[in-house]
């Protein structure tokens, strides 16, 4: 069965960095677009970034452009999100999802909490 | 960026009643790329509907989606106790920035 397991969340100071990982299993990872989607405490869903199956197409929400970098390693069935210059408003649960441009999010991980606070 | 506006913000209904949720887009959305998700507290969202009207695997037929252009609807024909949750619409192909609506909470009256 499809499984997506995020890791790497935690408490970080404003201006700091964090790298999230998502381990995928149960499907041919290299065939699918992948996305990061976040949800601030008590708020709605916000799409953050997606990457195509080969990694050649990448897109970011304006709120994270220039600060976050999405990447993938198809040999390791893994998705990553490098987050730099973190701000308090980046505090959220970050979900890894099998999703992207023209693909709905049909599978989601359980999420990893990122807290940006001094 | 396409902005999706969901209404109402909260819907108070009793089990067995019909729920009608609206999602309005700031510009035309291809019906092929409109999805609905259900989220319960402490859980990841679950895909209900894709392509505006196609049910995802394992979704009961009391859930149905309709609409085109800028107006889309999710209907739950008869609410079961497990259907009380927050519902989100999303466009995932009419513009490169994938966007979600703000959500509708369906609560027990």
């Amino acid at each position: 069965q499809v499984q997506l397991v995020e890791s790497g969340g935690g408490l970080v100071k404003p201006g700091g960095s964090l790298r999230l990982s998502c381990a995928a299993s149960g499907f041919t990872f290299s065939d699918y677009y992948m996305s990061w989607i976040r949800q601030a405490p008590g708020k709605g869903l916000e799409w953050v970034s997606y990457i195509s199956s080969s990694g050649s197409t990448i897109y970011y929400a304006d709120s994270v452009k220039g600060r976050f970098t999405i990447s993938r390693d198809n040999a390791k069935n893994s998705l990553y999100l490098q987050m730099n210059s973190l701000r308090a408003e980046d505090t959220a649960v970050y979900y890894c999802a099998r999703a992207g441009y023209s693909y709905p999010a049909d599978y989601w991980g359980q999420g990893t909490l990122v807290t940006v606070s001094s | 960026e396409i902005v999706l506006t969901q209404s109402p913000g909260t819907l108070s209904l009793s089990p067995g009643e019909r729920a009608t949720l609206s999602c309005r887009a700031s510009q035309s959305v291809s019906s092929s790329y409109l999805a609905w998700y259900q989220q319960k507290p402490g859980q990841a969202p679950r895909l209900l509907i894709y392509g505006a009207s196609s049910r995802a695997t394992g979704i009961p037929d009391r859930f149905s989606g309709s609409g085109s252009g800028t107006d889309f609807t999710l209907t739950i024909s008869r609410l079961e106790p497990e259907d009380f949750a927050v519902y989100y619409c999303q466009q995932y192909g009419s513009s490169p920035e994938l966007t979600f609506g703000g959500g509708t909470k369906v609560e027990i009256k």
Side-chain angles (χ1 to χ4, degrees):
Chain A
Q1 71 283 19
V2 172
Q3 276 200 307
L4 299 170
V5 180
E6 302 95 337
S7 60
L11 175 63
V12 61
K13 289 181 168 53
S17 297
L18 213 54
R19 189 193 195 209
L20 304 184
S21 299
C22 172
S25 60
F27 66 103
T28 305
F29 181 72
S30 58
D31 284 350
Y32 289 87
Y33 272 66
M34 296 296 294
S35 287
W36 289 100
I37 297 163
R38 69 184 180 183
Q39 187 169 36
K43 303 297 184 182
L45 300 170
E46 180 188 17
W47 165 77
V48 173
S49 179
Y50 66 72
I51 184 169
S52 64
S53 54
S54 66
S56 60
T57 300
I58 286 173
Y59 222 88
Y60 298 98
D62 286 344
S63 58
V64 307
K65 203 172 293 183
R67 301 187 299 122
F68 288 12
T69 302
I70 191 172
S71 62
R72 66 189 296 159
D73 185 336
N74 286 343
K76 294 183 177 180
N77 291 341
S78 293
L79 176 73
Y80 306 101
L81 186 68
Q82 177 66 44
M83 304 186 294
N84 298 331
S85 303
L86 283 161
R87 307 166 180 165
E89 53 265 34
D90 295 320
T91 294
V93 173
Y94 284 74
Y95 294 103
C96 162
R98 192 173 82 170
Y101 188 74
S102 78
Y103 298 97
D106 58 352
Y107 289 96
W108 299 65
Q110 83 288 352
T112 188
L113 177 62
V114 172
T115 303
V116 184
S117 174
S118 55
Chain B
E1 175 184 318
I2 296 175
V3 175
L4 300 178
T5 302
Q6 292 188 240
S7 62
T10 302
L11 200 51
S12 298
L13 295 168
S14 300
E17 290 193 294
R18 182 184 187 89
T20 304
L21 287 66
S22 172
C23 176
R24 180 161 290 177
S26 60
Q27 55 189 278
S28 186
V29 171
S30 168
S31 298
S32 299
Y33 304 126
L34 195 286
W36 289 92
Y37 302 87
Q38 176 194 66
Q39 188 179 33
K40 297 179 181 179
Q43 297 184 15
R46 174 174 71 146
L47 176 66
L48 296 176
I49 301 286
Y50 63 94
S53 61
S54 297
R55 275 187 298 277
T57 303
I59 302 304
D61 60 8
R62 64 179 180 273
F63 291 92
S64 62
S66 62
S68 63
T70 59
D71 289 292
F72 297 87
T73 300
L74 174 70
T75 301
I76 311 171
S77 58
R78 286 180 311 278
L79 283 164
E80 298 288 341
E82 62 267 28
D83 299 336
F84 291 92
V86 180
Y87 293 84
Y88 295 94
C89 60
Q90 183 211 17
Q91 71 82 19
Y92 56 92
S94 292
S95 76
E97 304 93 354
L98 313 185
T99 49
F100 289 92
T104 291
K105 181 179 182 180
V106 178
E107 66 175 21
I108 299 176
K109 187 174 181 181

